[in-house]
Amino acid sequence: ASAAGHEVSVDPEEQRGAARRALFLLTAGGDPERGLDLNGRAVTALADELRTVDRQLALEQGIGELRAQAKGLPHVSEAVRGLVDAPEVAWRAYACSLLAEELG
């Protein structure tokens, strides 16, 4: 989802603010070093805050491009198919990648 999201346009200030709020949720939930959960409060809050129709469509387009590039790579193709079949999960995975960047 991170690789597919290269065309998703998010204003850097909006992204930083949303990521900071998500980090507060992550910290309030306990140890921020424990890892990120696609269904956790921090990831879902960030995903909800940043989601727009245009951004979701840009991610889906990026996933489509990855699908074409993954032909002949069975493991990658399977992962990409999972993102295609579950756009909500794909969006949360993309948001999770943004939060991971912030933590890194």
Side-chain angles (χ1 to χ4, degrees):
S2 178
H6 69 279
E7 293 296 322
V8 177
S9 178
V10 181
D11 176 70
E13 284 299 312
E14 179 184 7
Q15 182 176 325
R16 274 192 293 280
R20 273 193 305 271
R21 288 183 286 282
L23 287 173
F24 287 133
L25 288 173
L26 185 65
T27 303
D31 180 11
E33 299 292 322
R34 75 181 176 280
L36 299 173
D37 176 2
L38 288 183
N39 296 314
R41 286 180 44 206
V43 172
T44 57
L46 181 60
D48 290 344
E49 187 169 346
L50 293 180
R51 175 182 280 128
T52 66
V53 171
D54 290 340
R55 290 174 183 160
Q56 181 76 42
L57 291 174
L59 180 63
E60 290 174 15
Q61 181 178 355
I63 292 169
E65 291 170 10
L66 280 181
R67 188 177 208 177
Q69 294 171 5
K71 287 189 191 278
L73 302 169
H75 296 293
V76 177
S77 292
E78 185 65 26
V80 172
R81 186 172 32 256
L83 296 175
V84 168
D85 291 344
E88 174 70 26
V89 173
W91 183 258
R92 284 195 318 269
Y94 171 69
C96 188
S97 75
L98 297 178
L99 192 53
E101 274 183 40
E102 190 71 24
L103 284 168

